[in-house]
Amino acid sequence: GAVVSQHPSWVICKSGTSVKIECRSLDFQATTMFWYRQFPKQSLMLMATSNEGSKATYEQGVEKDKFLINHASLTLSTLTVTSAHPEDSSFYICSAILTSGELFFGEGSRLTVL
Amino acid sequence: QKEVEQDPGPLSVPEGAIVSLNCTYSNSAFQYFMWYRQYSRKGPELLMYTYSSGNKEDGRFTAQVDKSSKYISLFIRDSQPSDSATYLCAMGFGNEKLTFGTGTRLTIIP
């Protein structure tokens, strides 16, 4: 299957700082990528749809100024958690979709805000 | 009513048993159906991808789609402890976001 790489896999930061997570499609071009958030033992929660060369589309209730998404190329989307607080601690997962409709996920990034 | 319904479990079965995981959905426009396996603290891994109704087999895994009943299934034969994970169903209709089930936690008991 297609490979989606996410970095970093684990990050700890102090409250008030910003953290950037990268999502790369390694062997295909991804016009559309998605960002999810997952709490322990819960399902995926879609945060936003990232479209190459245009603004991201955020799901209801997700603060776009808090979670900045940039999709500057066909192989890279970034999620920046700005002014992070302990309640932002979570597992963030990106995914990229092929034209066939198949969706492939990255390995996930665990964020801990102290 | 949720667009996709999936029994969250947990489901525990003995090693070697056949596992049946199911999802129902309400949107008849869905065309693509997928099953993902997610281990703890890992991103979901695509297991099976099917388009429209029918069966698809891959090793010990069989995916079934019944569009008339709006029902999809994943069967795992000769289950192994390494199959212990959360299984997510997902469906969509093209190059757009998928709709996910809540996931079923499966434990295979040695």
Side-chain angles (χ1 to χ4, degrees), chain A residues 3-51:
Chain A
V3 179
V4 177
S5 177
Q6 203 171 325
H7 176 80
S9 57
W10 186 42
V11 57
I12 300 175
C13 69
K14 292 183 179 180
S15 186
T17 61
S18 294
V19 174
K20 180 186 285 187
I21 301 170
E22 293 186 347
C23 180
R24 294 181 185 274
S25 57
L26 298 186
D27 52 357
F28 65 102
Q29 293 183 329
T31 306
T32 303
M33 292 184 174
F34 303 95
W35 286 95
Y36 300 82
R37 184 173 182 176
Q38 188 176 38
F39 293 104
K41 298 184 179 180
Q42 293 189 23
S43 190
L44 302 166
M45 184 190 81
L46 179 65
M47 299 175 65
T49 302
S50 171
N51 299 295

Side-chain angles (χ1 to χ4, degrees), chain A residues 32 34 36 38 41 43-44 46 59 91 93 97-98 100-107 110, chain B residues 32 34 36 38 41-46 49 88 94-98 100-103 105:
Chain A
T32 303
F34 303 95
Y36 300 82
Q38 188 176 38
K41 298 184 179 180
S43 190
L44 302 166
L46 179 65
E59 295 299 303
F91 193 52
I93 313 173
I97 194 164
L98 300 181
S100 62
E102 291 171 277
L103 185 76
F104 292 91
F105 286 89
E107 307 96 325
R110 182 161 302 280
Chain B
Y32 302 95
M34 281 155 271
Y36 291 87
Q38 186 177 23
R41 302 191 178 200
K42 297 289 185 181
E45 172 193 7
L46 179 63
Y49 166 80
L88 297 153
N95 193 24
E96 299 181 5
K97 61 184 180 182
L98 297 181
F100 285 86
T102 53
R105 291 177 58 200

Side-chain angles (χ1 to χ4, degrees), chain A residues 27-87:
Chain A
D27 52 357
F28 65 102
Q29 293 183 329
T31 306
T32 303
M33 292 184 174
F34 303 95
W35 286 95
Y36 300 82
R37 184 173 182 176
Q38 188 176 38
F39 293 104
K41 298 184 179 180
Q42 293 189 23
S43 190
L44 302 166
M45 184 190 81
L46 179 65
M47 299 175 65
T49 302
S50 171
N51 299 295
E52 187 269 336
S54 64
K55 290 184 179 180
T57 303
Y58 290 82
E59 295 299 303
Q60 190 174 10
V62 178
E63 300 175 60
K64 60 181 180 181
D65 295 329
K66 174 75 170 175
F67 300 99
L68 299 179
I69 291 172
N70 184 278
H71 194 156
S73 79
L74 287 171
T75 59
L76 174 64
S77 175
T78 60
L79 168 68
T80 301
V81 183
T82 62
S83 186
H85 291 281
E87 58 266 29

Side-chain angles (χ1 to χ4, degrees), chain B residues 71-84:
Chain B
Y71 187 87
I72 68 170
S73 300
L74 177 71
F75 297 97
I76 307 174
R77 293 184 299 279
D78 187 25
S79 55
Q80 305 293 314
S82 58
D83 295 328
S84 298

